[in-house]
Amino acid sequence: MAASETSNGTTLRHAFGNVLSFFILILIGVLAFSIRLFSVIKYESVIHEFDPYFNYRVTQFLTKNGIYDFWNWFDDRTWYPLGRVIGGTVYPGLTLTAGSLWWFLNSLNIPLSVETICVFTAPIFSAFTSWATYLLTREVKGAGAGLTAAALIAMVPSYISRSVAGSYDNEAVAIFALIFTFYLYIKTLNTGSLFYATLNAIAYFYMVCSWGGYTFIINLIPMHVLLCIVTGRYSSRLYIAYAPLVVLGTLLAALVPVVGFNAVMTSEHFASFLVFIILHVVALVYYIKGILSPKMFKVAVTLVVSIGLLVCLAVVAVLVALVASSPTKGWSGRSLSLLDPTYASKYIPIIASVSEHQPPTWPSYFMDINVLAFLVPAGIIACFSPLSDASSFVILYIVTSVYFSGVMVRLMLVLAPAACIMSGIALSEAFDVFTRSIKFQLPGLLVPSQVDAGETSSENTVSQNEVPKTDKRADTLKERPSRKNRKKEKEPVEKPSIKSQIEKRLLVLPFEGSILAIFLLVLLGAFYVVHCVWAAAEAYSAPSIVLTSHSHDGLHVFDDFREAYAWLSHNTEVDDKVASWWDYGYQTTAMANRTVIVDNNTWNNTHIATVGTAMSSPEKEAWEIFNSLDVKYVLVVFGGLVGYPSDDINKFLWMVRIGGGVFPHIKEPDYLRDGQYRIDNQATPTMLNCLMYKLSYYRFVDTDGKGFDRVRQTEIGKKHFKLTHFEEVFTTHHWMVRLYKLKPPKNRIRGKTKKSKSKSSSTSSTKKSGTKRNPWH
């Protein structure tokens, strides 16, 4: 009777726990969504940054023209005169997700605009990411750790920075796909279910569609499989978890146009194939071991291992032959920059020029993951007790993500989920120890005279008024049974319970210390929440296209970017071409609807180098380069008046380096004075006469009479000069965006005779023949 009551109580407790967990997960999802809405509340519903504007433009095209036109779309508004095939050069996961969501809501007669769907896609998927983190952590260490990890990732600043409302970038859905793929892999590893293995391959396919970071998955999982094989943890569940993922996942990945045959032809994928072969060799060895005698097994193992080695060597030889012809040995530039942090700065300056590709500083770790950095080591230790296949995977995940985040600050985004999982495990284990310590010592505090070994060893549910009778009942239970079979039944039941009580007793901490530790953990969590809310509200909510600053006279809003793009849209011809540095290409195409020379896709280094060379050249040579590209307007971002640091003058050295990498006459030392980059009166003549300097500082001395640059904190060197080949057509209110028009070539003087015309043309031709030929014609 007592056993049935105990089982009913346990069932009721589990049911209540499941319902409570469900409602907590709903609240975590609401928290993850709402904490990312500060940008909409403080500013407006607007797309952020640069890349999201291209994704928004592509989504508009998809919803208007359909999926087939999207796959075959040739965009002639970008990379003039080359153009770009959108369907074959874009990861379509984000676009298809937002387009499907827009179609679904409109089919329900909820008429939301495409822009609104794009703005709120990232907050919606952040809730999904929290739930996926709960599922993954529950498979590793239980529901308590899962709920804690889900709450942590809902607020972690590193993830908020890429999923705030308006941040319509690939990472908005890719992090969810990453965590969900890992969850399905661990679920398959724990259950050995082929159903979950199939779902895992489909989730991996969605990740491939969403982000180029899918190569992290297809390398991390083989590393874990190899680790399990080396440590003697091979099982049929491991085979089911990995083999279908490689076969189905690779076939599905090859269906994505931007990936195609790269799924089997590039070095990023070769590790998965090699581990796939090793796994089959090990599986064959285990199978033979079960059906052969020990003597025959030794012979068979020798044969299988030798054949397996020959196959592996043959595969390796084929792979080496495939990649030997490539100068990068089959690796992409970004992958090589991860494996060798100095590679990009040496050979590919276009990658090194991106700010998010720089190594992070120590303060950025505290900013992006805050107190989680101190909880991660405790979580790693907790995963070793006991060590399972699932816990070894998350240990491998955190170790690799820490390395990659140290190489590239953008990959702090990959570290954040791993840090939340480890911190959730650490906090859950800590709360478990401290609350158990309090629970075991609480009856003793209520009745101090009855604290003895007999009371602590009995864990039966006893009412509070029956606590003093525990000793007598224990004596009567020992004396009452007179039959031998009762004693035999009771002994094996009581011994494990006493042993388990002793083991739990060893983990009991002092009552006051447990109370203090829980208070400190709650205080730590409160500090984390305050920091995350501040980061979401202040640090990561401001869209880069609308800037704000606080001063003694209130809040100032700088809307210069949209002001400039609106001017371009209303005052230029539809077919006019606009030249700028590649950072602003996506925004110019999406907001001004004008053709650009380069944009943020950065697929053609020579084209970008041509623009960089033009910006680094004197005015006349720059005019010739831009005129050969049919450019009508040049856009320059300048922050010297208001103190905006991310302007083109601060990016200018990267223009010089990228241009000099293709056109050798552009040399970086020509723009430096004693190795220092200067724009004051100590600047070099090459710097003071280049187009970027002139377009940035033209008429700048008229603002304050001195020409003081607030970003560089110095007066400019060359203050009074005129433009001969460019004319200023528009400068925004705060001088942050400046637009210049190329002057047309000088017209011939009318009224001259044919003879004079021919004479002038002959003289001009002789002059041209005497000058250096322009290499861009």
Side-chain angles (χ1 to χ4, degrees):
M1 190 71 179
S4 64
E5 289 179 357
T6 304
S7 63
N8 290 335
T10 304
T11 304
L12 182 62
R13 186 168 65 250
H14 280 301
F16 178 75
N18 292 333
V19 173
L20 185 62
S21 298
F22 174 76
F23 281 107
I24 291 174
L25 284 174
I26 294 296
L27 292 176
I28 289 174
V30 173
L31 171 65
F33 179 82
S34 58
I35 200 174
R36 289 162 170 80
L37 301 183
F38 280 105
S39 59
V40 175
I41 296 170
K42 293 179 64 176
Y43 299 93
E44 58 181 294
S45 181
V46 63
I47 304 293
H48 292 201
E49 301 294 336
F50 302 105
D51 290 6
Y53 275 93
F54 169 75
N55 297 326
Y56 168 56
R57 179 167 170 260
V58 173
T59 308
Q60 281 184 314
F61 185 91
L62 173 67
T63 55
K64 183 179 179 180
N65 299 282
I67 183 67
Y68 292 105
D69 288 338
F70 164 71
W71 289 124
N72 299 306
W73 180 22
F74 179 80
D75 187 10
D76 58 355
R77 290 279 178 186
T78 60
W79 292 93
Y80 181 84
L82 306 175
R84 178 184 174 188
V85 180
I86 299 297
T89 59
V90 69
Y91 288 96
L94 176 69
T95 304
L96 295 177
T97 300
S100 301
L101 186 60
W102 175 85
W103 174 84
F104 175 74
L105 292 175
N106 278 267
S107 64
L108 297 179
N109 292 324
I110 303 177
L112 293 179
S113 65
V114 175
E115 183 181 9
T116 303
I117 296 295
C118 295
V119 167
F120 290 100
T121 296
I124 291 172
F125 271 82
S126 65
F128 296 162
T129 303
S130 301
W131 298 334
T133 305
Y134 163 76
L135 294 174
L136 172 59
T137 315
R138 187 186 66 176
E139 290 295 320
V140 179
K141 280 292 181 180
L147 290 173
T148 309
L152 292 175
I153 200 172
M155 298 181 290
V156 65
S158 178
Y159 184 38
I160 288 178
S161 66
R162 309 294 292 196
S163 60
V164 70
S167 182
Y168 185 57
D169 210 348
N170 291 331
E171 292 90 340
V173 298
I175 297 302
F176 161 72
L178 178 79
I179 302 301
F180 196 62
T181 304
F182 286 159
Y183 157 68
L184 289 172
Y185 170 72
I186 295 298
K187 185 71 174 179
T188 310
L189 197 59
N190 289 339
T191 61
S193 171
L194 195 58
F195 171 73
Y196 285 112
T198 307
L199 290 181
N200 189 26
I202 296 174
Y204 171 69
F205 171 62
Y206 182 63
M207 177 64 184
V208 175
C209 291
S210 302
W211 192 31
Y214 75 92
T215 54
F216 180 68
I217 294 178
I218 206 58
N219 284 278
L220 180 64
I221 292 179
M223 289 171 61
H224 179 252
V225 172
L226 190 62
L227 178 67
C228 290
I229 292 174
V230 170
T231 55
R233 305 182 71 94
Y234 171 79
S235 64
S236 59
R237 294 177 286 104
L238 183 68
Y239 182 87
I240 294 172
Y242 184 69
L245 173 64
V246 174
V247 177
L248 292 178
T250 303
L251 290 175
L252 291 172
L255 297 177
V256 183
V258 70
V259 177
F261 284 104
N262 288 334
V264 293
M265 297 291 290
T266 55
S267 299
E268 286 91 344
H269 305 80
F270 290 164
S272 62
F273 303 142
L274 187 61
V275 174
F276 184 75
I277 296 173
I278 295 174
L279 182 68
H280 278 80
V281 171
V282 174
L284 185 59
V285 169
Y286 274 86
Y287 174 74
I288 294 173
K289 185 177 181 180
I291 61 175
L292 294 180
S293 62
K295 185 178 293 185
M296 293 297 295
F297 172 70
K298 290 182 180 180
V299 178
V301 164
T302 305
L303 181 63
V304 170
V305 171
S306 59
I307 294 175
L309 286 175
L310 289 175
V311 172
C312 287
L313 290 175
V315 172
V316 170
V318 171
L319 297 181
V320 169
L322 286 174
V323 302
S325 59
S326 172
T328 61
K329 300 300 181 287
W331 296 90
S332 65
R334 284 183 173 83
S335 298
L336 284 173
S337 62
L338 290 176
L339 299 175
D340 179 10
T342 63
Y343 179 83
S345 59
K346 291 178 181 177
Y347 303 107
I348 315 179
I350 186 65
I351 294 178
S353 67
V354 183
S355 59
E356 61 185 19
H357 292 169
Q358 303 299 320
T361 58
W362 285 113
S364 65
Y365 279 94
F366 187 77
M367 174 65 187
D368 284 345
I369 60 177
N370 200 245
V371 300
L372 305 186
F374 308 107
L375 295 173
V376 165
I380 295 176
I381 294 173
C383 286
F384 279 99
S385 56
L387 184 65
S388 62
D389 293 341
S391 59
S392 65
F393 176 79
V394 293
I395 291 172
L396 193 63
Y397 177 22
I398 186 69
V399 170
T400 52
S401 60
V402 165
Y403 166 74
F404 288 125
S405 67
V407 174
M408 194 176 289
V409 68
R410 180 184 185 183
L411 296 182
M412 291 285 287
L413 187 64
V414 178
L415 171 65
C420 291
I421 292 170
M422 286 299 178
S423 301
I425 292 172
L427 289 174
S428 177
E429 294 290 326
F431 273 111
D432 184 40
V433 171
F434 297 141
T435 54
R436 186 170 63 242
S437 301
I438 295 174
K439 183 180 71 173
F440 277 120
Q441 298 178 69
L442 198 56
L445 288 177
L446 293 175
V447 187
S449 61
Q450 299 296 331
V451 180
D452 55 8
E455 181 185 356
T456 55
S457 63
S458 64
E459 201 180 2
N460 296 330
T461 56
V462 182
S463 61
Q464 187 174 342
N465 55 5
E466 291 178 349
V467 171
K469 300 179 182 179
T470 53
D471 292 340
K472 292 183 179 180
R473 290 190 64 182
D475 295 337
T476 55
L477 283 173
K478 290 179 181 178
E479 295 173 0
R480 185 185 298 174
S482 58
R483 298 178 183 178
K484 292 182 179 180
N485 57 356
R486 254 187 203 181
K487 288 184 180 179
K488 289 179 180 179
E489 288 176 0
K490 263 198 167 300
E491 283 176 2
V493 175
E494 287 181 351
K495 285 181 180 178
S497 64
I498 294 172
K499 184 179 179 181
S500 63
Q501 292 298 320
I502 294 173
E503 289 178 353
K504 289 184 177 181
R505 192 65 172 165
L506 294 175
L507 297 175
V508 173
L509 300 176
F511 183 82
E512 295 81 2
S514 301
I515 293 291
L516 180 61
I518 289 179
F519 174 74
L520 291 177
L521 286 179
V522 172
L523 194 64
L524 191 70
F527 178 77
Y528 175 76
V529 171
V530 170
H531 174 77
C532 293
V533 172
W534 172 84
E538 300 295 336
Y540 295 134
S541 64
S544 63
I545 199 166
V546 180
L547 306 173
T548 59
S549 68
H550 296 271
S551 63
H552 63 279
D553 55 348
L555 179 69
H556 295 271
V557 178
F558 302 94
D559 204 2
D560 289 46
F561 285 100
R562 292 194 295 184
E563 181 185 355
Y565 296 139
W567 188 93
L568 277 173
S569 178
H570 291 93
N571 296 277
T572 60
E573 299 295 331
V574 177
D575 295 330
D576 285 346
K577 285 77 179 176
V578 180
S580 66
W581 192 232
W582 60 263
D583 292 25
Y584 320 106
Y586 280 164
Q587 288 185 350
T588 305
T589 308
M591 301 190 69
N593 193 25
R594 292 298 176 264
T595 304
V596 296
I597 307 302
V598 293
D599 63 22
N600 309 57
N601 186 243
T602 65
W603 67 274
N604 192 313
N605 187 59
T606 304
H607 219 48
I608 295 176
T610 303
V611 176
T613 301
M615 296 295 190
S616 309
S617 301
E619 187 179 351
K620 182 179 179 182
E621 285 78 1
W623 182 91
E624 293 176 353
I625 296 172
F626 282 142
N627 189 57
S628 67
L629 293 172
D630 200 19
V631 171
K632 292 294 186 295
Y633 295 91
V634 178
L635 183 148
V636 174
V637 175
F638 174 65
L641 182 65
V642 295
Y644 176 60
S646 298
D647 63 353
D648 284 342
I649 290 292
N650 274 356
K651 299 174 184 177
F652 178 65
L653 279 186
W654 287 111
M655 303 182 195
V656 174
R657 291 165 185 163
I658 295 170
V662 177
F663 303 104
H665 68 278
I666 301 293
K667 297 179 176 61
E668 184 178 352
D670 295 340
Y671 300 85
L672 305 177
R673 174 72 69 182
D674 298 329
Q676 294 183 351
Y677 178 52
R678 311 185 65 145
I679 51 94
D680 55 8
N681 54 10
Q682 296 297 318
T684 62
T686 307
M687 179 67 203
L688 295 177
N689 290 310
C690 70
L691 181 67
M692 177 55 66
Y693 182 93
K694 287 189 173 183
L695 297 189
S696 296
Y697 292 112
Y698 178 65
R699 294 194 309 107
F700 182 55
V701 70
D702 298 340
T703 58
D704 60 355
K706 298 179 180 179
F708 184 80
D709 190 324
R710 295 186 183 181
V711 176
R712 269 64 60 175
Q713 292 296 310
T714 184
E715 290 188 15
I716 61 176
K718 194 173 183 179
K719 301 178 180 180
H720 303 281
F721 55 87
K722 293 183 179 181
L723 299 176
T724 57
H725 293 77
F726 294 83
E727 60 178 335
E728 181 186 9
V729 292
F730 184 72
T731 296
T732 56
H733 181 68
H734 300 98
W735 280 57
M736 288 180 61
V737 183
R738 312 195 67 183
L739 291 167
Y740 295 86
K741 185 177 182 181
L742 273 72
K743 291 183 178 180
K746 292 182 179 180
N747 294 326
R748 294 180 179 141
I749 301 174
R750 293 183 179 181
K752 299 285 184 180
T753 59
K754 290 184 179 180
K755 187 175 180 181
S756 62
K757 284 185 180 181
S758 61
K759 185 176 180 181
S760 61
S761 62
S762 62
T763 54
S764 62
S765 62
T766 54
K767 287 182 180 180
K768 285 185 178 180
S769 62
T771 58
K772 187 177 179 180
R773 186 179 178 184
N774 181 21
W776 291 275
H777 279 302

